[in-house]
Amino acid sequence: MKKTITLGLCLIVFLFNACKTEPNSKAVKKEVLNLHDKLMIDGGKVMSNKMKLDSVLKSNKIKSPEEAAKITALISSLNKADEGMMDWMHLFNDDFKGKNEQEDLDYYKSEMVKVRQVEDSYIKVTKASDSVLKSYDVAPSEKMNMEHHKH
């Protein structure tokens, strides 16, 4: 009877460990790269909105120096968001090889945090620039793909 119980407990422990859904480094790396690919498209919208705001700034639609300063600051924020993406891409090591699986996983998890910060800055400046463009009756660029924005 004890052998049956011991065998049953061992089987339960084995099955529990086999069913863990702990991500591995390859899965996290793939998620990071997928987010990067999406952000490359979103970066096009960021730069398009920047160019449209530049045009608004040069137009005769600006009614006050305060409005001009607000748009100038927003253009600067759009540039900063784009630079954040460029910085992350230059520092990202696509072929990272740690000493073991845990080091690889830790690296890609830390990169996920960094690329999510880029994503958050893109979301923030895009919403702000869309709003300002609409207030000047300028159509913002196509909407960003929001499917990955569930974090």
Side-chain angles (χ1 to χ4, degrees):
M1 182 70 170
K2 284 185 179 181
K3 286 183 179 181
T4 306
I5 292 173
T6 304
L7 183 61
L9 287 175
C10 288
L11 184 60
I12 290 170
V13 169
F14 173 77
L15 290 174
F16 178 76
N17 284 333
C19 293
K20 280 186 182 177
T21 58
E22 180 71 25
N24 64 30
S25 64
K26 289 179 183 171
V28 176
K29 176 183 177 180
K30 183 176 185 211
E31 191 176 345
V32 168
L33 293 174
N34 287 342
L35 184 54
H36 160 267
D37 293 347
K38 186 196 119 353
L39 289 176
M40 290 300 294
I41 295 166
D42 293 348
K45 177 176 173 48
V46 166
M47 290 291 85
S48 179
N49 277 8
K50 177 194 165 290
M51 289 186 291
K52 290 178 179 186
L53 286 171
D54 278 335
S55 295
V56 168
L57 196 57
K58 294 173 184 171
S59 73
N60 59 0
K61 295 179 181 183
I62 304 295
K63 297 177 179 115
S64 70
E66 292 80 19
E67 285 184 34
K70 179 181 175 182
I71 292 173
T72 300
L74 188 51
I75 290 169
S76 177
S77 294
L78 288 161
N79 281 330
K80 185 176 178 184
D82 185 57
E83 289 168 10
M85 176 64 171
M86 295 302 132
D87 290 346
W88 177 80
M89 286 190 322
H90 287 125
L91 296 173
F92 177 68
N93 182 357
D94 187 25
D95 294 325
F96 181 80
K97 298 282 185 241
K99 294 178 183 166
N100 58 44
E101 171 67 18
Q102 188 60 49
E103 287 180 353
D104 290 353
L105 181 61
D106 291 345
Y107 175 76
Y108 290 116
K109 281 182 174 180
S110 72
E111 291 304 305
M112 179 59 78
V113 169
K114 293 173 190 175
V115 77
R116 289 280 188 202
Q117 290 171 339
V118 170
E119 178 186 39
D120 290 344
S121 69
Y122 271 17
I123 292 167
K124 182 180 175 183
V125 298
T126 299
K127 285 181 180 179
S129 60
D130 284 353
S131 177
V132 170
L133 287 169
K134 287 176 186 174
S135 73
Y136 285 96
D137 294 324
V138 176
S141 299
E142 290 183 29
K143 293 192 178 209
M144 290 173 57
N145 182 350
M146 301 299 259
E147 72 185 42
H148 284 90
H149 298 209
K150 302 180 241 173
H151 50 101

